[in-house]
Amino acid sequence: MAFWNSKKTEDKTPEPETGVFSKMRNALTKTRQALNTDIRDLFKSEGRLVDDEFLGELFARLIGTDMGVSSAEAVRDDIGRRFRARVVHLPDVLDSITQQTSERLSQESTDIQFAESGPTVILVVGVNGSGKTTSIGKLAYHLHSTGHKVVLGAGDTFRAAAVEQLTVWAGRIGCEIVTGKPEADPASVAFQTVEKAVEMGADVAIIDTAGRLQTQTNLMQQLDKIRRVIGKKIEAAPHEVLLVLDATAGQNAISQARGFSDAAGCTGIVLSKLDGSAKGGVILPIREQFQLPVKFVGLGEGIEDIAKFDAASFAKALFE
C-alpha cells in the first residue's frame, strides 16, 4: 500500500502545508539548515569560482551530513564537470546536489510485499532506542486505517516497556495484540502471533523483536530462530523484514544495518527520527552499502507521522 499520492508528485502545483511533502520537508529541517548554511558560507554575493579550493571546501561540508565519502565525491565531481572555471551561485550548486542525491537514492519499489494469500508477516528489527516500537505502531495505524486487519506481536519480551508501549498502540489503533510473559521465548510469541493472524483471517501480522546490540551473538541467533518458527506456520514468511534505523545515529546506523541485515535477512529499512537529526544524509551510504530499499521514513512523533520513501521528494525536501 502506498503512503504517497503519485498524482501529487507529478503535479507541479505546490502541496498544501498538511501534505506529506510538507511533513518530510519539516522533518529534514535540521539537516537542510545545517547543510545549506555550510554551503552558503562558501559563496560571496558575486558568486564563487569553481576551482580545486572550492570543490575541496564543498566536499568537506557534504561529509558533515554523514552522506559518506562516495556520495560526497560524486556530488563534488559532478559540480566540477559542469561548472569548473565558471562562477556559480548557491542555486546552481543546490540544483546539482539535489539531482545527484535523487539519482543515488532511486530504487525500484518501496511498497510492502504482500503475500498472495493469507496473512502478510512483517518482522521488525533494530537496536533499542532506534524508534522500532513506535515505527511499528505508525505502520500498523496506516495499514489499519486503509482497511487492513492487523495483528501485533509483542516479541520484545525482555523489555517490559516495549510490551506496554505496543499494547497502548494497539488500543489506540483498535487492533489485536499478542503478548507473552516477561522474558518469554520471543519465537513463541512470534509463532502465536502468526497463528492468531491465521485464525482470525487477518491481513497483516507485525512482530516486534528484541533490540539489544547488534554485536550480541545470542540476539542474532534469536532472530534466526524467529524466522524459522514463523516459516513453519506460513510458508515464505516473514514476507518483509524491516530494519529500523535511527537517523540521529549517523554513521553508527551503518554498523547497525550490517549486523541486523546479516542475521535477519532484512528486506527494507525504516529511517526513524528524521525530524530530530542533522545527519539525514546517512541514508545515502546506507543505500549504497546494503542495497536495501528505504521503505518508510519517520517524520515526527504523531501516529500519522510516517511516509513511504520517495527519492526525488526526499532530495528536494533536503536541499530546497
Side-chain angles (χ1 to χ4, degrees):
M1 298 297 296
F3 283 65
W4 196 267
N5 187 332
S6 60
K7 291 183 179 179
K8 284 188 177 182
T9 62
E10 296 171 358
D11 188 351
K12 295 182 180 180
T13 303
E15 286 188 274
E17 286 303 306
T18 55
V20 174
F21 175 77
S22 177
K23 287 185 177 182
M24 187 175 294
R25 192 174 189 282
N26 290 338
L28 286 166
T29 295
K30 290 185 178 180
T31 301
R32 184 175 61 254
Q33 287 180 342
L35 180 58
N36 287 3
T37 297
D38 284 346
I39 294 177
R40 189 177 294 111
D41 288 345
L42 298 177
F43 290 86
K44 300 176 183 179
S45 59
E46 65 271 22
R48 180 75 184 269
L49 177 68
V50 176
D51 55 13
D52 288 341
E53 180 183 1
F54 171 77
L55 293 173
E57 292 176 10
L58 175 63
F59 177 76
R61 301 297 201 281
L62 295 172
I63 288 291
T65 68
D66 269 4
M67 69 163 50
V69 173
S70 177
S71 296
E73 286 178 340
V75 170
R76 178 200 62 194
D77 293 347
D78 178 67
I79 290 174
R81 283 192 298 270
R82 295 173 62 183
F83 301 113
R84 183 175 286 279
R86 292 172 52 188
V87 173
V88 296
H89 294 80
L90 179 64
D92 302 317
V93 172
L94 289 182
D95 179 66
S96 178
I97 297 173
T98 302
Q99 180 178 333
Q100 281 290 309
T101 300
S102 177
E103 290 177 0
R104 295 179 76 84
L105 288 176
S106 63
Q107 50 196 35
E108 290 185 2
S109 175
T110 58
D111 293 334
I112 291 177
Q113 301 303 304
F114 287 97
E116 293 183 4
S117 62
T120 296
V121 181
I122 303 173
L123 192 64
V124 184
V125 302
V127 300
N128 285 341
S130 64
K132 175 169 56 69
T133 306
T134 299
S135 296
I136 290 172
K138 292 177 180 178
L139 179 57
Y141 171 79
H142 170 76
L143 292 171
H144 178 82
S145 65
T146 52
H148 293 83
K149 186 181 291 187
V150 180
V151 178
L152 299 180
D156 192 354
T157 58
F158 299 101
R159 196 162 61 96
V163 178
E164 293 171 4
Q165 183 183 8
L166 205 58
T167 301
V168 170
W169 279 111
R172 290 178 62 187
I173 296 167
C175 64
E176 296 287 335
I177 184 170
V178 175
T179 62
K181 295 180 180 179
E183 299 191 16
D185 181 6
S188 174
V189 174
F191 183 83
Q192 292 174 42
T193 303
V194 173
E195 196 171 45
K196 179 75 171 179
V198 172
E199 289 176 355
M200 62 181 287
D203 300 304
V204 181
I206 308 176
I207 302 171
D208 194 5
T209 62
R212 293 173 183 172
L213 290 175
Q214 71 273 13
T215 53
Q216 294 186 358
T217 302
N218 289 343
L219 175 60
M220 299 297 104
Q221 293 175 342
Q222 181 190 103
L223 290 174
D224 184 58
K225 181 181 178 181
I226 290 173
R227 287 180 60 90
R228 288 186 280 108
V229 165
I230 291 172
K232 289 180 180 179
K233 186 65 180 178
I234 299 179
E235 189 176 356
H239 304 93
E240 291 275 13
V241 181
L242 301 182
L243 170 61
V244 178
L245 294 178
D246 179 353
T248 65
Q251 288 288 326
N252 189 49
I254 295 176
S255 66
Q256 297 174 17
R258 183 174 293 109
F260 278 104
S261 179
D262 292 344
C266 295
T267 58
I269 290 171
V270 178
L271 193 63
S272 69
K273 305 183 185 179
L274 202 59
D275 57 311
S277 174
K279 302 290 187 178
V282 74
I283 195 172
L284 283 154
I286 286 173
R287 279 283 296 126
E288 261 181 28
Q289 293 191 33
F290 300 96
Q291 295 300 304
L292 289 174
V294 178
K295 300 217 168 189
F296 302 101
V297 288
L299 305 177
E301 298 181 358
I303 196 170
E304 298 180 352
D305 291 334
I306 191 171
K308 179 183 173 184
F309 178 73
D310 178 84
S313 297
F314 185 93
K316 182 180 178 181
L318 185 59
F319 294 107
E320 292 190 6

